[in-house]
mmCIF file of all heavy atoms in Angstrom:
data_model
loop_
_atom_site.group_PDB
_atom_site.id
_atom_site.type_symbol
_atom_site.label_atom_id
_atom_site.label_comp_id
_atom_site.label_asym_id
_atom_site.label_seq_id
_atom_site.Cartn_x
_atom_site.Cartn_y
_atom_site.Cartn_z
ATOM 1 N N PRO A 1260 3.234 3.365 22.607
ATOM 2 C CA PRO A 1260 2.810 4.667 23.142
ATOM 3 C C PRO A 1260 3.769 5.169 24.212
ATOM 4 O O PRO A 1260 4.422 4.390 24.906
ATOM 5 C CB PRO A 1260 1.424 4.352 23.750
ATOM 6 C CG PRO A 1260 1.495 2.886 24.073
ATOM 7 C CD PRO A 1260 2.323 2.276 22.975
ATOM 8 N N ASN A 1261 3.845 6.482 24.323
ATOM 9 C CA ASN A 1261 4.704 7.128 25.331
ATOM 10 C C ASN A 1261 6.166 6.689 25.199
ATOM 11 O O ASN A 1261 6.889 6.601 26.198
ATOM 12 C CB ASN A 1261 4.202 6.826 26.741
ATOM 13 C CG ASN A 1261 2.755 7.213 26.940
ATOM 14 O OD1 ASN A 1261 2.324 8.276 26.500
ATOM 15 N ND2 ASN A 1261 1.986 6.336 27.595
ATOM 16 N N ALA A 1262 6.571 6.405 23.978
ATOM 17 C CA ALA A 1262 7.919 5.869 23.751
ATOM 18 C C ALA A 1262 9.013 6.843 24.171
ATOM 19 O O ALA A 1262 10.117 6.423 24.510
ATOM 20 C CB ALA A 1262 8.089 5.501 22.275
ATOM 21 N N GLU A 1263 8.713 8.139 24.169
ATOM 22 C CA GLU A 1263 9.740 9.117 24.492
ATOM 23 C C GLU A 1263 9.816 9.414 25.985
ATOM 24 O O GLU A 1263 10.665 10.190 26.420
ATOM 25 C CB GLU A 1263 9.489 10.404 23.692
ATOM 26 C CG GLU A 1263 9.615 10.204 22.189
ATOM 27 C CD GLU A 1263 9.428 11.493 21.412
ATOM 28 O OE1 GLU A 1263 9.670 12.567 21.996
ATOM 29 O OE2 GLU A 1263 9.049 11.433 20.239
ATOM 30 N N GLN A 1264 8.929 8.806 26.756
ATOM 31 C CA GLN A 1264 8.969 9.015 28.199
ATOM 32 C C GLN A 1264 9.892 7.993 28.858
ATOM 33 O O GLN A 1264 10.173 6.929 28.319
ATOM 34 C CB GLN A 1264 7.562 8.891 28.785
ATOM 35 C CG GLN A 1264 6.590 9.949 28.287
ATOM 36 C CD GLN A 1264 5.213 9.799 28.904
ATOM 37 O OE1 GLN A 1264 5.013 9.025 29.839
ATOM 38 N NE2 GLN A 1264 4.248 10.538 28.380
ATOM 39 N N GLU A 1265 10.343 8.327 30.046
ATOM 40 C CA GLU A 1265 11.199 7.414 30.802
ATOM 41 C C GLU A 1265 10.415 6.160 31.162
ATOM 42 O O GLU A 1265 9.271 6.238 31.608
ATOM 43 C CB GLU A 1265 11.700 8.123 32.062
ATOM 44 C CG GLU A 1265 12.835 7.423 32.760
ATOM 45 C CD GLU A 1265 13.443 8.278 33.860
ATOM 46 O OE1 GLU A 1265 13.911 9.391 33.539
ATOM 47 O OE2 GLU A 1265 13.439 7.837 35.023
ATOM 48 N N GLN A 1266 11.022 5.004 30.958
ATOM 49 C CA GLN A 1266 10.361 3.726 31.189
ATOM 50 C C GLN A 1266 11.028 2.969 32.337
ATOM 51 O O GLN A 1266 12.192 3.209 32.654
ATOM 52 C CB GLN A 1266 10.425 2.862 29.919
ATOM 53 C CG GLN A 1266 9.948 3.548 28.650
ATOM 54 C CD GLN A 1266 8.445 3.739 28.613
ATOM 55 O OE1 GLN A 1266 7.697 2.896 29.102
ATOM 56 N NE2 GLN A 1266 7.997 4.846 28.042
ATOM 57 N N SER A 1267 10.267 2.034 32.924
ATOM 58 C CA SER A 1267 10.806 1.176 33.986
ATOM 59 C C SER A 1267 10.937 -0.245 33.480
ATOM 60 O O SER A 1267 10.176 -0.680 32.612
ATOM 61 C CB SER A 1267 9.892 1.203 35.213
ATOM 62 O OG SER A 1267 9.818 2.493 35.764
ATOM 63 N N ALA A 1268 11.909 -0.971 33.995
ATOM 64 C CA ALA A 1268 12.117 -2.352 33.583
ATOM 65 C C ALA A 1268 12.803 -3.129 34.704
ATOM 66 O O ALA A 1268 13.415 -2.547 35.596
ATOM 67 C CB ALA A 1268 12.947 -2.424 32.303
ATOM 68 N N ILE A 1269 12.659 -4.441 34.623
ATOM 69 C CA ILE A 1269 13.324 -5.339 35.567
ATOM 70 C C ILE A 1269 14.057 -6.405 34.758
ATOM 71 O O ILE A 1269 13.461 -7.055 33.902
ATOM 72 C CB ILE A 1269 12.318 -6.011 36.517
ATOM 73 C CG1 ILE A 1269 11.569 -4.951 37.336
ATOM 74 C CG2 ILE A 1269 13.031 -6.986 37.447
ATOM 75 C CD1 ILE A 1269 10.473 -5.529 38.211
ATOM 76 N N SER A 1270 15.340 -6.559 35.012
ATOM 77 C CA SER A 1270 16.141 -7.542 34.282
ATOM 78 C C SER A 1270 16.794 -8.516 35.253
ATOM 79 O O SER A 1270 17.235 -8.135 36.336
ATOM 80 C CB SER A 1270 17.242 -6.856 33.453
ATOM 81 O OG SER A 1270 16.700 -6.130 32.378
ATOM 82 N N THR A 1271 16.827 -9.775 34.824
ATOM 83 C CA THR A 1271 17.588 -10.782 35.542
ATOM 84 C C THR A 1271 18.985 -10.790 34.935
ATOM 85 O O THR A 1271 19.137 -10.960 33.727
ATOM 86 C CB THR A 1271 16.955 -12.177 35.397
ATOM 87 O OG1 THR A 1271 15.642 -12.143 35.970
ATOM 88 C CG2 THR A 1271 17.777 -13.229 36.116
ATOM 89 N N MET A 1272 20.002 -10.580 35.765
ATOM 90 C CA MET A 1272 21.368 -10.490 35.276
ATOM 91 C C MET A 1272 22.224 -11.590 35.877
ATOM 92 O O MET A 1272 22.039 -11.979 37.043
ATOM 93 C CB MET A 1272 21.948 -9.115 35.573
ATOM 94 C CG MET A 1272 21.139 -7.976 34.984
ATOM 95 S SD MET A 1272 21.990 -6.374 35.033
ATOM 96 C CE MET A 1272 23.293 -6.639 33.828
ATOM 97 N N VAL A 1273 23.145 -12.086 35.078
ATOM 98 C CA VAL A 1273 24.024 -13.167 35.517
ATOM 99 C C VAL A 1273 25.473 -12.750 35.308
ATOM 100 O O VAL A 1273 25.804 -12.061 34.337
ATOM 101 C CB VAL A 1273 23.710 -14.472 34.761
ATOM 102 C CG1 VAL A 1273 23.928 -14.300 33.254
ATOM 103 C CG2 VAL A 1273 24.540 -15.632 35.289
ATOM 104 N N LEU A 1274 26.325 -13.163 36.228
ATOM 105 C CA LEU A 1274 27.744 -12.833 36.128
ATOM 106 C C LEU A 1274 28.435 -13.796 35.176
ATOM 107 O O LEU A 1274 28.352 -15.009 35.329
ATOM 108 C CB LEU A 1274 28.401 -12.904 37.510
ATOM 109 C CG LEU A 1274 29.890 -12.568 37.571
ATOM 110 C CD1 LEU A 1274 30.134 -11.142 37.086
ATOM 111 C CD2 LEU A 1274 30.421 -12.750 38.988
ATOM 112 N N THR A 1275 29.107 -13.247 34.162
ATOM 113 C CA THR A 1275 29.842 -14.048 33.183
ATOM 114 C C THR A 1275 31.319 -13.654 33.238
ATOM 115 O O THR A 1275 31.710 -12.770 34.006
ATOM 116 C CB THR A 1275 29.312 -13.803 31.757
ATOM 117 O OG1 THR A 1275 29.710 -12.478 31.328
ATOM 118 C CG2 THR A 1275 27.793 -13.889 31.710
ATOM 119 N N ASN A 1276 32.107 -14.299 32.402
ATOM 120 C CA ASN A 1276 33.532 -13.948 32.355
ATOM 121 C C ASN A 1276 33.753 -12.556 31.779
ATOM 122 O O ASN A 1276 34.843 -11.979 31.892
ATOM 123 C CB ASN A 1276 34.301 -14.984 31.526
ATOM 124 C CG ASN A 1276 33.839 -15.000 30.082
ATOM 125 O OD1 ASN A 1276 32.644 -14.927 29.802
ATOM 126 N ND2 ASN A 1276 34.763 -15.121 29.168
ATOM 127 N N LEU A 1277 32.724 -11.979 31.170
ATOM 128 C CA LEU A 1277 32.807 -10.626 30.612
ATOM 129 C C LEU A 1277 32.172 -9.595 31.528
ATOM 130 O O LEU A 1277 32.085 -8.420 31.173
ATOM 131 C CB LEU A 1277 32.125 -10.592 29.238
ATOM 132 C CG LEU A 1277 32.728 -11.485 28.159
ATOM 133 C CD1 LEU A 1277 31.891 -11.416 26.887
ATOM 134 C CD2 LEU A 1277 34.166 -11.090 27.879
ATOM 135 N N GLY A 1278 31.710 -10.029 32.689
ATOM 136 C CA GLY A 1278 31.021 -9.127 33.597
ATOM 137 C C GLY A 1278 29.545 -9.468 33.674
ATOM 138 O O GLY A 1278 29.113 -10.552 33.274
ATOM 139 N N TRP A 1279 28.750 -8.540 34.183
ATOM 140 C CA TRP A 1279 27.309 -8.776 34.328
ATOM 141 C C TRP A 1279 26.598 -8.606 32.986
ATOM 142 O O TRP A 1279 26.793 -7.622 32.295
ATOM 143 C CB TRP A 1279 26.734 -7.825 35.363
ATOM 144 C CG TRP A 1279 27.161 -8.175 36.751
ATOM 145 C CD1 TRP A 1279 28.220 -7.660 37.439
ATOM 146 C CD2 TRP A 1279 26.551 -9.138 37.616
ATOM 147 N NE1 TRP A 1279 28.323 -8.252 38.678
ATOM 148 C CE2 TRP A 1279 27.305 -9.158 38.826
ATOM 149 C CE3 TRP A 1279 25.453 -9.987 37.500
ATOM 150 C CZ2 TRP A 1279 26.980 -9.990 39.889
ATOM 151 C CZ3 TRP A 1279 25.131 -10.808 38.565
ATOM 152 C CH2 TRP A 1279 25.884 -10.816 39.743
ATOM 153 N N ARG A 1280 25.750 -9.596 32.643
ATOM 154 C CA ARG A 1280 25.010 -9.563 31.394
ATOM 155 C C ARG A 1280 23.539 -9.874 31.631
ATOM 156 O O ARG A 1280 23.184 -10.618 32.548
ATOM 157 C CB ARG A 1280 25.587 -10.586 30.395
ATOM 158 C CG ARG A 1280 26.975 -10.229 29.894
ATOM 159 C CD ARG A 1280 26.958 -8.987 29.035
ATOM 160 N NE ARG A 1280 28.260 -8.613 28.515
ATOM 161 C CZ ARG A 1280 29.075 -7.735 29.080
ATOM 162 N NH1 ARG A 1280 28.718 -7.141 30.228
ATOM 163 N NH2 ARG A 1280 30.228 -7.441 28.538
ATOM 164 N N VAL A 1281 22.676 -9.279 30.805
ATOM 165 C CA VAL A 1281 21.239 -9.496 30.927
ATOM 166 C C VAL A 1281 20.892 -10.904 30.471
ATOM 167 O O VAL A 1281 21.241 -11.317 29.366
ATOM 168 C CB VAL A 1281 20.456 -8.455 30.092
ATOM 169 C CG1 VAL A 1281 18.970 -8.799 30.084
ATOM 170 C CG2 VAL A 1281 20.697 -7.061 30.639
ATOM 171 N N GLN A 1282 20.181 -11.622 31.321
ATOM 172 C CA GLN A 1282 19.727 -12.963 30.987
ATOM 173 C C GLN A 1282 18.265 -12.947 30.534
ATOM 174 O O GLN A 1282 17.876 -13.663 29.637
ATOM 175 C CB GLN A 1282 19.874 -13.881 32.215
ATOM 176 C CG GLN A 1282 19.578 -15.358 31.962
ATOM 177 C CD GLN A 1282 19.814 -16.180 33.199
ATOM 178 O OE1 GLN A 1282 19.313 -15.859 34.273
ATOM 179 N NE2 GLN A 1282 20.581 -17.240 33.070
ATOM 180 N N TYR A 1283 17.491 -12.089 31.188
ATOM 181 C CA TYR A 1283 16.055 -11.988 30.866
ATOM 182 C C TYR A 1283 15.560 -10.629 31.291
ATOM 183 O O TYR A 1283 15.953 -10.112 32.343
ATOM 184 C CB TYR A 1283 15.275 -13.079 31.589
ATOM 185 C CG TYR A 1283 13.776 -12.943 31.468
ATOM 186 C CD1 TYR A 1283 13.111 -13.311 30.290
ATOM 187 C CD2 TYR A 1283 13.014 -12.434 32.512
ATOM 188 C CE1 TYR A 1283 11.740 -13.176 30.170
ATOM 189 C CE2 TYR A 1283 11.628 -12.291 32.391
ATOM 190 C CZ TYR A 1283 11.005 -12.656 31.217
ATOM 191 O OH TYR A 1283 9.647 -12.509 31.102
ATOM 192 N N THR A 1284 14.690 -10.026 30.478
ATOM 193 C CA THR A 1284 14.114 -8.729 30.805
ATOM 194 C C THR A 1284 12.599 -8.836 30.829
ATOM 195 O O THR A 1284 11.984 -9.257 29.847
ATOM 196 C CB THR A 1284 14.542 -7.650 29.790
ATOM 197 O OG1 THR A 1284 15.968 -7.517 29.833
ATOM 198 C CG2 THR A 1284 13.909 -6.314 30.112
#
């Protein structure tokens, strides 16, 4: 529901050799 509305999220990010990547959302 409400898929077209702006959503909020929190992600755990880790620094890798390619830059910052999502580890868990």
Side-chain angles (χ1 to χ4, degrees):
N1261 305 317
E1263 296 183 25
Q1264 296 181 10
E1265 194 170 301
Q1266 309 288 325
S1267 297
I1269 300 175
S1270 291
T1271 298
M1272 303 192 69
V1273 61
L1274 181 60
T1275 71
N1276 63 318
L1277 298 176
W1279 289 95
R1280 292 293 181 265
V1281 173
Q1282 186 177 51
Y1283 172 77
T1284 299

